[in-house]
């Protein structure tokens, strides 16, 4: 007992009286306890934030990538100039597998909290691509926290309906919402590439943005960087590449980094089913088969996602500027109304560390409160190893969604209700 107490004292306060006094004066009791936690508890965090290729060992990754075509990413990049296929009918493609599709829906329902966390963080990736970011800015529906909440909560509800309903039944809300999304993509394609092309090419967030923490995210070249520096006048909006990037955002976490987002000990057949679901949904959204990230098995898809992250996503963060930061802040601050505790810098840090990007500058910039938020995310994802805890987080997320839409359980304390509510999507109103 004595040795344990002396060990705790040494870790918390130092081995000498002067060190103890200095530590108390500099940090305070609470901070020293957190330092103890950060030093000893998140040994698993280093594991969580490695890519699957790093967990499996470099030899395995090299062996697997050798078998892939060296030109595969280059073939995908050709999709930047090819528009999406927006006249696809809602019908089962010839390669459709009912068993896989049902297993994928099961995976989504059982790991909703993991999918949610992944989708939230992979939005940073989506915002890092200028052609996609310009489209988001042009709609003027997500440029502040309030509008972002009104946009992304219904989007989440719609995606949930696809996995909880029947997209093949014309009378099911899932099918109706899917059809609406397909028509919306087609409309945005026409507007951005023909009706208002010049305006979209030149669009920027009016300065100053919501908040500036210039040069704290990974290797930012310039916080003053303009979107016009990255987009040519000949670019295609809502291209095959853009649609594929969004598809990557939907599957990246659960497939490439499942443990980092709380999907522990998942059956591989369930993940393959989830991949198949997004192959189907990607097809219906207009992604051609040659650009569909999900047209292979689990092993192939993981390799492709890791290659995309290494060669495309991480480098894209080297070019982001204030437009990215503004939209990211609006998004995270909006999501914070739904899930209190989400903060922009620690959430971005968690994502960059998961990808294996150099995030030292951002890590050093975190405030004490932001560090708590960061390690809380690690604690939440690690706690999902216990299935009942994962189910608890999922239930709390569903309650939050109900509360934000003005309903929720009668027993929920009033002081824990969101500061604002939004109407439920018209497709999902019974």
């Amino acid at each position: 007992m004595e040795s344990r107490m002396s060990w705790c004292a040494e870790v918390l306060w130092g081995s000498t009286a002067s060190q103890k006094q200095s530590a108390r004066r500099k940090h305070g009791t609470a901070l020293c306890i957190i330092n103890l936690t950060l030093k000893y508890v998140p040994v698993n965090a280093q594991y969580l934030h490695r890519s699957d290729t790093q967990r499996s060992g470099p030899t395995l990754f090299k062996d697997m990538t050798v078998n892939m075509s060296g030109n595969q990413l280059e073939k995908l990049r050709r999709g930047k100039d090819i528009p999406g296929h927006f006249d696809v009918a809602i019908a089962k493609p010839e390669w459709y597998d009912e068993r896989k599709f049902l297993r994928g829906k099961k995976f989504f329902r059982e790991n909703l909290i993991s999918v949610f966390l992944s989708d939230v963080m992979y939005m940073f990736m989506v915002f890092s691509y200028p052609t996609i970011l310009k489209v988001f800015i042009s709609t003027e529906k997500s440029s502040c926290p309030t509008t972002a909440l009104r946009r992304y909560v219904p989007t989440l509800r719609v995606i949930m309906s696809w996995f909880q309903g029947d997209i093949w039944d014309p009378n099911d809300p899932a099918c109706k919402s899917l059809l609406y999304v397909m028509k919306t993509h087609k409309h945005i394609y026409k507007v951005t590439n023909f009706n208002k092309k010049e305006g979209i090419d030149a669009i920027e967030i009016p300065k100053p943005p919501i908040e500036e923490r210039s040069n704290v995210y990974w290797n930012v070249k310039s916080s003053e960087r303009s979107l016009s520096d990255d987009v040519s006048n000949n670019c295609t909006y809502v291209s095959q590449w853009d649609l594929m990037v969004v598809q990557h955002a939907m599957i990246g976490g659960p497939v490439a980094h499942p443990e980092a987002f709380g999907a522990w000990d998942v059956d591989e057949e369930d993940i393959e089913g989830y991949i198949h679901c997004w192959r189907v949904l990607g097809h219906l959204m207009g992604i051609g088969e040659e650009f569909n990230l999900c047209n292979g098995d689990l092993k192939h898809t993981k390799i492709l996602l890791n290659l995309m992250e290494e060669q495309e996503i991480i480098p894209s963060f080297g070019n982001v500027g204030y437009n990215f930061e503004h939209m990211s802040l609006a998004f995270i601050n909006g999501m914070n109304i739904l899930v209190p505790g989400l903060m922009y810098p620690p959430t971005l840090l968690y994502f960059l560390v998961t990808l294996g990007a150099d995030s030292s500058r951002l890590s050093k910039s975190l405030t004490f409160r932001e560090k708590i938020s960061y390690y809380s995310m690690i604690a939440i994802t690690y706690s999902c190893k216990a299935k009942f805890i994962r189910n608890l987080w999922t239930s709390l997320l569903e309650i939050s969604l109900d509360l934000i839409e003005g309903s929720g359980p009668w027993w929920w304390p009033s002081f824990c209700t969101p500061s604002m509510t939004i109407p439920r999507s018209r497709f999902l109103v019974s």
Side-chain angles (χ1 to χ4, degrees):
M1 182 67 178
E2 183 179 353
S3 62
R4 173 173 289 188
M5 291 301 293
S6 62
W7 173 82
C8 289
E10 182 177 356
V11 172
L12 286 170
W13 311 114
S15 56
T16 66
S18 61
Q19 288 175 331
K20 295 176 185 179
Q21 184 177 5
S22 175
R24 287 191 180 98
R25 184 169 56 249
K26 184 176 180 180
H27 299 294
T29 304
L31 182 55
C32 288
I33 291 174
I34 286 185
N35 286 338
L36 170 68
T37 305
L38 306 190
K39 187 173 182 179
Y40 288 94
V41 173
V43 174
N44 298 286
Q46 299 175 9
Y47 174 82
L48 287 175
H49 285 151
R50 292 177 189 165
S51 67
D52 268 21
T53 54
Q54 291 172 307
R55 295 189 201 112
S56 304
T59 303
L60 177 60
F61 179 65
K62 289 178 182 177
D63 290 343
M64 290 189 296
T65 51
V66 164
N67 296 326
M68 295 185 64
S69 169
N71 297 324
Q72 187 156 10
L73 275 181
E74 192 57 39
K75 290 179 181 177
L76 293 176
R77 291 187 184 108
R78 293 173 191 167
K80 294 181 179 181
D81 300 319
I82 302 174
H85 303 153
F86 301 115
D87 294 315
V88 179
I90 299 183
K92 298 176 182 178
E94 58 182 15
W95 40 259
Y96 175 78
D97 188 320
E98 181 75 14
R99 178 177 171 276
K100 282 186 176 181
F101 195 76
L102 293 177
R103 290 205 69 150
K105 293 174 70 172
K106 170 178 170 283
F107 171 84
F108 180 92
R109 292 192 299 268
E110 292 181 351
N111 296 275
L112 177 58
I113 186 63
S114 304
V115 173
F116 170 76
L117 290 173
S118 170
D119 289 354
V120 166
M121 295 188 198
Y122 269 82
M123 282 301 296
F124 292 127
M125 176 197 76
V126 174
F127 291 145
S128 71
Y129 284 94
T131 53
I132 304 177
L133 184 57
K134 279 180 172 289
V135 172
F136 276 107
I137 295 173
S138 69
T139 62
E140 300 182 346
K141 292 183 178 179
S142 52
S143 298
C144 74
T146 302
T147 56
L149 182 73
R150 289 174 177 165
R151 177 177 200 150
Y152 295 112
V153 167
T155 300
L156 176 59
R157 279 294 200 190
V158 163
I159 294 173
M160 288 172 64
S161 75
W162 298 343
F163 288 88
Q164 295 170 348
D166 183 1
I167 63 171
W168 309 118
D169 180 1
N171 297 316
D172 193 289
C175 182
K176 294 178 181 178
S177 64
L178 178 58
L179 184 61
Y180 174 78
V181 171
M182 293 165 64
K183 289 181 177 178
T184 300
H185 285 177
K186 183 176 182 178
H187 171 72
I188 293 175
Y189 168 75
K190 290 181 177 179
V191 169
T192 54
N193 289 283
F194 301 103
N195 301 358
K196 299 181 180 180
K197 182 72 164 63
E198 291 185 5
I200 303 298
D201 287 340
I203 200 166
E204 303 274 351
I205 289 289
K207 292 184 182 181
I210 293 177
E211 175 184 339
E212 291 194 39
R213 288 190 61 162
S214 302
N215 297 330
V216 297
Y217 31 86
W218 177 77
N219 194 25
V220 176
K221 291 181 179 177
S222 170
S223 64
E224 298 297 315
R225 189 175 182 86
S226 166
L227 280 177
S228 300
D229 297 334
D230 303 300
V231 179
S232 69
N233 293 334
N234 297 323
C235 70
T236 300
Y237 297 105
V238 201
S239 64
Q240 291 285 341
W241 175 267
D242 293 346
L243 294 172
M244 183 193 64
V245 167
V246 175
Q247 184 186 45
H248 188 152
M250 296 295 104
I251 66 169
V255 175
H257 314 282
E259 292 90 354
F261 295 101
W264 295 87
D265 304 320
V266 179
D267 192 314
E268 287 193 357
E269 289 192 13
D270 287 347
I271 300 184
E272 286 213 356
Y274 187 66
I275 293 171
H276 185 72
C277 283
W278 277 106
R279 182 186 181 188
V280 173
L281 291 168
H283 165 77
L284 296 175
M285 294 289 182
I287 302 178
E289 193 63 14
E290 66 272 31
F291 301 109
N292 199 316
L293 291 174
C294 301
N295 59 10
D297 59 14
L298 174 59
K299 180 178 176 182
H300 174 275
T301 307
K302 276 188 176 183
I303 297 171
L304 189 54
L305 292 176
N306 280 303
L307 285 173
M308 282 279 294
E309 291 173 1
E310 178 185 346
Q311 298 184 27
E312 282 288 336
I313 299 175
I314 293 177
S316 73
F317 281 96
N319 297 321
V320 297
Y322 72 91
N323 290 277
F324 164 87
E325 185 167 62
H326 177 100
M327 296 297 285
S328 296
L329 277 162
F331 171 68
I332 292 298
N333 290 344
M335 289 294 99
N336 183 59
I337 301 173
L338 174 68
V339 182
L342 279 179
M343 302 174 71
Y344 165 60
T347 307
L348 177 59
L349 174 63
Y350 192 101
F351 179 62
L352 293 178
V353 173
T354 300
L355 295 185
D358 178 9
S359 53
S360 56
R361 181 186 297 169
L362 177 56
S363 179
K364 292 176 182 177
S365 77
L366 294 189
T367 65
F368 175 66
R369 184 182 171 200
E370 290 165 351
K371 288 180 180 178
I372 294 177
S373 175
Y374 175 73
Y375 284 100
S376 295
M377 286 185 280
I378 292 178
I380 290 171
T381 53
Y382 190 71
S383 70
C384 289
K385 289 192 76 170
K387 187 174 181 179
F388 78 95
I389 296 292
R390 186 168 69 239
N391 293 339
L392 175 62
W393 291 123
T394 295
S395 297
L396 289 174
L397 174 60
E398 291 175 335
I399 289 174
S400 294
L401 287 169
D402 289 338
L403 290 170
I404 211 78
E405 293 171 339
S407 56
W410 62 268
W411 45 266
W412 193 259
S414 58
F415 63 86
C416 292
T417 55
S419 57
M420 65 172 289
T421 59
I422 60 175
R424 190 173 175 86
S425 173
R426 62 190 176 92
F427 299 104
L428 307 178
V429 177
S430 57

